[in-house]
Amino acid sequence: MHIDRDIKLDFRDVLIRPKRSALPSRAEVDVSREFAFKHSQHRYRGIPIVAANMDTIGTFDMARALAPAGLSVALHKHYGEDELAGFFGSLEVKSSAFYSMGITRADQEKFERVMKRGGAAVQYVCIDVANGYTESFVEFVAKFREAWPALTIMAGNVVTGEMTEELILSGADIVKVGIGPGSVCTTRGMTGVGYPQLSAVIECADAAHGLGGRICSDGGCAAPGDIAKAFGGGADFVMLGGMLAGHAECGGEIVERDGKRYQRFYGMSENEGTITLVRDPWTVPGALAVEGGEKVRPFMAGETLNWKVQD
């Protein structure tokens, strides 16, 4: 075994040192970006924040709410073919939402059917697996790029520079970076695998940008300052899950305790049917209650995402 003794950092380990600025207020900061993707050649302009393809976050309602503000959503994998074809087919312009998929034959066949029925609006695809270090994953990305040269592909997850380079050279425009940093992700505890998120972002961004690729920091953001740190570390996009939970646009079940309403959300792209509850969530004090791969957030009844986007 090799022990890496270099210092590795999470977002909580650092602060951004202030510098003099000509801007009179934080409200004057423009966080939109514009660039072209390496393989698809699509030109992007928007605010590069993406709602995660978690079962209760990456919803159609979330996509409709965020699109007018220039933000994106990675739709979760569990919508049916008819639902996806109906969503994309109803749009008059290309969507900023990512179609999310795995790498099985069933995933590929489902995607091809959706593209035949409503694919004119699809321009972004997120090829998402828990472990991006397999040959089968890299081969799938390469074949998908060959079959769909005009689509912008985000693929992951990985945390090291060499796999970032491998995926970009295989056809990915954006590499999704992060293993285990999410607030409700149990990967690190269950498998012992992971990497401090800020260091992963710094190293993967350096590798990607050297090849003309982009990265998306996925996980680990618990406050707006963490988003700033991810961008400062070189991330081109930042993916958020738990920070967007608890809103009306989310798909989580509403539960009550002591007269207060909460909304469930899940820290993985699998749906709730795959989660085994390991303890009573209400035995954990505080605003968040842990249920294995599940938590709850106070439900903001009647509130939309507008206030959070503006903030």
Side-chain angles (χ1 to χ4, degrees), residues 220-232:
C221 289
D226 295 333
I227 303 173
K229 293 172 188 177
F231 284 134

Side-chain angles (χ1 to χ4, degrees), residues 129-153:
V129 298
N131 176 15
Y133 286 80
T134 64
E135 290 184 9
S136 58
F137 177 62
V138 175
E139 291 171 358
F140 184 91
V141 171
K143 291 178 180 177
F144 193 90
R145 166 56 65 202
E146 184 178 357
W148 304 96
L151 294 180
T152 297
I153 298 172

Side-chain angles (χ1 to χ4, degrees), residues 29 75 92 115 117 135 140 162 177 190 216 237 242 271:
V29 175
L75 299 171
E92 296 180 358
M115 290 297 287
R117 297 175 58 185
E135 290 184 9
F140 184 91
E162 69 273 12
V177 174
M190 296 298 291
C216 177
F237 292 83
N271 65 9

Side-chain angles (χ1 to χ4, degrees), residues 231-285:
F231 284 134
D236 302 288
F237 292 83
V238 176
M239 182 170 279
L240 302 178
M243 285 185 65
L244 299 177
H247 291 87
E249 293 85 357
C250 301
E253 177 188 1
I254 308 300
V255 294
E256 276 197 33
R257 183 190 183 227
D258 297 333
K260 296 181 179 180
R261 295 204 295 171
Y262 299 84
Q263 188 178 56
R264 298 178 187 269
F265 74 102
Y266 306 93
M268 58 192 76
S269 63
E270 300 303 322
N271 65 9
E272 59 184 288
T274 67
I275 296 173
T276 301
L277 303 185
V278 296
R279 63 173 180 253
D280 181 354
W282 308 120
T283 62
V284 182

Side-chain angles (χ1 to χ4, degrees), residues 40-283:
S40 70
Q41 296 299 303
H42 169 67
R43 295 199 65 85
Y44 170 89
R45 178 170 175 78
I47 297 175
I49 292 176
V50 184
N53 57 328
M54 294 157 58
D55 181 35
T56 56
I57 302 296
T59 66
F60 293 147
D61 286 340
M62 186 75 74
R64 296 184 185 102
L66 295 185
L71 284 71
S72 305
V73 171
L75 299 171
H76 67 69
K77 301 175 184 176
H78 308 290
Y79 282 121
E81 176 187 336
D82 290 342
E83 294 172 299
L84 289 163
F87 172 76
F88 286 110
S90 67
L91 301 176
E92 296 180 358
V93 296
K94 285 189 173 294
S95 176
S96 63
F98 286 79
Y99 179 107
S100 297
M101 62 185 295
I103 61 172
T104 67
R105 180 179 294 275
D107 292 325
Q108 187 170 356
E109 292 174 349
K110 176 183 173 183
F111 175 75
E112 291 172 352
R113 292 193 299 270
V114 171
M115 290 297 287
K116 288 180 179 178
R117 297 175 58 185
V122 178
Q123 64 178 338
Y124 297 103
V125 175
C126 176
I127 305 175
D128 179 55
V129 298
N131 176 15
Y133 286 80
T134 64
E135 290 184 9
S136 58
F137 177 62
V138 175
E139 291 171 358
F140 184 91
V141 171
K143 291 178 180 177
F144 193 90
R145 166 56 65 202
E146 184 178 357
W148 304 96
L151 294 180
T152 297
I153 298 172
M154 178 161 64
N157 282 34
V158 300
V159 291
T160 53
E162 69 273 12
M163 277 309 296
T164 297
E165 293 172 340
E166 181 84 9
L167 288 171
I168 291 171
L169 292 172
S170 297
D173 296 291
I174 311 164
V175 174
K176 195 145 70 81
V177 174
I179 294 181
S183 62
V184 281
C185 183
T186 61
T187 299
R188 292 178 180 179
M190 296 298 291
T191 69
V193 175
Y195 206 83
Q197 185 66 3
L198 180 57
S199 288
V201 166
I202 292 170
E203 295 171 25
C204 293
D206 182 64
H209 296 163
L211 294 174
R214 306 289 173 179
I215 72 160
C216 177
S217 175
D218 177 16
C221 289
D226 295 333
I227 303 173
K229 293 172 188 177
F231 284 134
D236 302 288
F237 292 83
V238 176
M239 182 170 279
L240 302 178
M243 285 185 65
L244 299 177
H247 291 87
E249 293 85 357
C250 301
E253 177 188 1
I254 308 300
V255 294
E256 276 197 33
R257 183 190 183 227
D258 297 333
K260 296 181 179 180
R261 295 204 295 171
Y262 299 84
Q263 188 178 56
R264 298 178 187 269
F265 74 102
Y266 306 93
M268 58 192 76
S269 63
E270 300 303 322
N271 65 9
E272 59 184 288
T274 67
I275 296 173
T276 301
L277 303 185
V278 296
R279 63 173 180 253
D280 181 354
W282 308 120
T283 62

